[in-house]
Each structure stands twice: as structure tokens, then as C-alpha cells.
Amino acid sequence: MILCCGEALIDMIPTPTDGGRDGFVPHSGGAVFNTAIALGRLGVQTGMLTGLSRDMFGQQLVEDLKASHVDTTHVITSDRPTTLAFVKLTDGHASYSFFDENSAGRMLLPADMPQLPEDLTALYFGGISLACEPCATAYEDLLAREGASRAVMLDPNIRPGFIEDINRFRARLDKMMALADIVKVSDEDLNWIVPGPMPLPEKVAVVQAKGPSVVVMTQGSKGATGFLAGGVEVYSPALPVKIVDTVGAGDTFNAGLLARLSELGVLQKAALRNLPADMLANALSFGAGVAAVTVSRAGANPPWAAEL
């Protein structure tokens, strides 16, 4: 099982009303939630570790996880509110206003994190959960405690507006990248992690030096490039589709990448250290195909395996 560790929230998506002004419709979302949903729909045995509220939105999130065959055994429930993200769409691209203070997901503590069973073979971390305290420390501690024997993928998905202490966040990110086997970054993430005018491949090398066996850089419509040890690079183009919006695109790409690596039998620490370039190319291409379906329809609505 792949355990997705991080935020689940409600995206309030603008929708036209009969009165002429947009209203907001609650859609289940969150970067890590989206990846879990996509994995479940692709037929991968998947679980979610997150903090959820007992309120109406928390119940919606649980129901949607179960509907996509995601195991909720490790969900931690409380009476705190659900995180809400109000979405603004500009030419199909999303920007967000978050309401996250004292939320069920954000207020997780290291002591809340469960011991994980041996059948959990891979861990996935990412999203705003790595920036918001105290849950960021809880997920950092979980990785340090449970990641040594499991394949680990990390997607920082950096949102600068959430980072209150940049030095502390950078230190956490460095520790987590050192423990990860796969680090996926967008070009924007990479420019934040390694600031300055250095070419992107050189910035990737800086991330590689921190410890991961595989680094994947996505560049939106320009596709994705995978980097392996020894200077090996693998490129996969994005599929040309009519974009409705980009909500959940990167999260779905991550799910496709993990799903194919799992299917190929290489989602293991030792295998990822010696990953053949053709297998990485296969996984990148599959991730691009899954993401292409998501961006072709509204919201974070990943495809089921049968749709591919």
C-alpha cells in the first residue's frame, strides 16, 4: 500500500449562478488528497493519513476517499474545522485564498502520528502540510521514523504565502529531501528551492546532491524531465489537450508516476537507486497521460483506470 500523508481540504470553486454572480461549490481537494484519490482510481492499493474534521466537510472528504477506494484507517478525526480554499480561476489557472487557522489538518501533532504496519510499502508527502505548523513537524517526524524501510516520494509544492519561517522551512525540506527516494518539483518550486540565475539542470543537481535517487522536474505544457544518477536525463512531453483548468494537475501526475513505478515493481528504495531510464520514461509518460485527463475537465477530478 502507498500511504499519502498530508492535507485534505475543501476547494470552493467559483460557479455561475442564475443571479449572474459566481457562487462557490465545495469540491474535495488538497494536494495530497488529490494524489490519494487518483491512485485509488488507478487501482493502486492506497491509504490516506491526514487530520479530518467531524463537520459536514470532513464527512464529505471521508466519503470521497472511500468512493475512490482509498483506505481511511489512518485518518485522524477531531472537532476542529475543515480547511477551506477559495479558488480564483484566471484563464484556467488557479490561485487560492486559504482559511486554515486551528483546522483539523493543521493542528496534528507528532504524538498523533500512528505506528505504521509493515504492509505499507511506500510513503508520499507534499503540499501545504509541509509548511504549516504544527502538522509540518508531525509529518517531518513521521518520515524520519517510518521512511527508512519504505520508498518515499516528496513533492514540496511550494506556496510561499504559507511559509512563516523561511529558514525553518528550508531546513525541514532539506531533511525530508535527504530521506526521500523521489523528489518531484515544478520549475517554479525549483527556482524557490535554489534561488538565483543558475540554469535549471544545475539547480536539479543541487537537489540531487541532497540525497534522492530520482528527481523529476515538471514544466507545465513543456512536459516533465526525470534525472537519474550519473547525469542521465529522461524527457516526456505533455499531451496536447484543451485545458479547462489546472486544478490537481501536478497531484494527478504524481499519482500516475507512482502507479506505474509500482506496477513495474520498482517502487522500492533499492530499485529506485538503480532505476533504468526506460522505466522512468514509461512512468513519466503515464503520469502525463493521467494529468492530461484531469486538466481537460473542471476541478481536481482524476480519471479512473478504465478511462485511460
Side-chain angles (χ1 to χ4, degrees), residues 151-173:
V152 176
M153 179 172 175
L154 174 69
D155 177 3
N157 196 13
I158 292 167
R159 297 190 185 280
F162 278 88
I163 302 170
E164 296 181 355
D165 186 331
I166 291 179
N167 291 332
R168 185 176 184 181
F169 178 77
R170 287 190 179 278
R172 174 182 302 114
L173 205 56

Side-chain angles (χ1 to χ4, degrees), residues 194-266:
V194 187
M198 191 185 303
L200 288 174
E202 293 183 21
K203 294 187 177 189
V204 168
V206 173
V207 174
Q208 284 180 298
K210 297 179 186 295
S213 300
V214 181
V215 177
V216 174
M217 178 182 66
T218 59
Q219 294 181 275
S221 62
K222 296 180 181 179
T225 307
F227 298 82
L228 300 170
V232 176
E233 296 184 19
V234 179
Y235 173 72
S236 177
L239 298 184
V241 295
K242 182 178 180 180
I243 296 176
V244 175
D245 65 54
T246 61
V247 179
D251 312 323
T252 308
F253 173 87
N254 293 342
L257 178 69
L258 285 169
R260 183 50 56 89
L261 291 173
S262 178
E263 180 184 341
L264 293 171
V266 292

Side-chain angles (χ1 to χ4, degrees), residues 16 28 30 48 69 75 122 132 142 144 180 191 211 229 234 241 245 268 306:
S28 296
M48 178 104 193
H69 311 307
V75 167
C132 299
L142 179 70
N191 283 325
V234 179
V241 295
D245 65 54
Q268 305 161 10

Side-chain angles (χ1 to χ4, degrees), residues 11-306:
D11 284 322
M12 303 297 286
I13 305 293
T15 305
T17 67
D18 292 340
R21 300 184 65 181
D22 283 351
F24 287 92
V25 176
H27 292 260
S28 296
V32 179
F33 175 93
N34 292 339
T35 298
I37 290 289
L39 281 166
R41 293 184 180 185
L42 292 172
V44 179
Q45 190 176 2
T46 308
M48 178 104 193
L49 194 165
T50 191
L52 291 184
S53 175
R54 295 187 182 93
D55 66 17
M56 60 183 291
F57 295 128
Q59 293 172 21
Q60 175 180 323
L61 289 163
V62 169
E63 291 169 0
D64 287 347
L65 286 168
K66 291 180 176 179
S68 291
H69 311 307
V70 178
D71 183 273
T72 58
T73 300
H74 300 293
V75 167
I76 301 161
T77 56
S78 72
D79 291 324
R80 298 180 185 276
T82 297
T83 299
L84 302 179
F86 284 80
V87 180
K88 180 180 180 180
L89 297 174
T90 305
D91 297 327
H93 295 276
S95 57
Y96 301 84
S97 295
F98 286 87
F99 295 81
D100 190 41
E101 290 296 322
N102 202 39
S103 68
R106 181 172 186 166
M107 299 309 294
L108 290 180
L109 300 172
D112 295 322
M113 293 297 174
Q115 296 291 326
L116 302 182
E118 292 183 2
D119 65 343
L120 289 172
T121 55
L123 301 174
Y124 172 78
F125 295 88
I128 62 172
S129 298
L130 305 184
C132 299
E133 295 290 358
C135 72
T137 297
Y139 289 118
E140 178 187 356
D141 287 1
L142 179 70
L143 173 55
R145 191 185 78 210
E146 299 283 356
S149 61
R150 300 173 171 91
V152 176
M153 179 172 175
L154 174 69
D155 177 3
N157 196 13
I158 292 167
R159 297 190 185 280
F162 278 88
I163 302 170
E164 296 181 355
D165 186 331
I166 291 179
N167 291 332
R168 185 176 184 181
F169 178 77
R170 287 190 179 278
R172 174 182 302 114
L173 205 56
D174 282 346
K175 289 179 182 178
M176 296 185 77
M177 286 192 289
L179 296 171
D181 303 288
I182 305 168
V183 172
K184 177 261 186 167
V185 287
S186 68
D187 50 355
E188 292 179 352
D189 293 336
L190 190 58
N191 283 325
W192 192 94
I193 294 169
V194 187
M198 191 185 303
L200 288 174
E202 293 183 21
K203 294 187 177 189
V204 168
V206 173
V207 174
Q208 284 180 298
K210 297 179 186 295
S213 300
V214 181
V215 177
V216 174
M217 178 182 66
T218 59
Q219 294 181 275
S221 62
K222 296 180 181 179
T225 307
F227 298 82
L228 300 170
V232 176
E233 296 184 19
V234 179
Y235 173 72
S236 177
L239 298 184
V241 295
K242 182 178 180 180
I243 296 176
V244 175
D245 65 54
T246 61
V247 179
D251 312 323
T252 308
F253 173 87
N254 293 342
L257 178 69
L258 285 169
R260 183 50 56 89
L261 291 173
S262 178
E263 180 184 341
L264 293 171
V266 292
L267 193 56
Q268 305 161 10
K269 283 189 176 297
L272 290 169
R273 279 194 294 270
N274 300 287
L275 185 65
D278 61 336
M279 287 191 176
L280 179 56
N282 186 326
L284 292 175
S285 178
F286 186 70
V290 178
V293 177
T294 298
V295 301
S296 69
R297 52 200 191 189
N301 183 12
W304 292 83

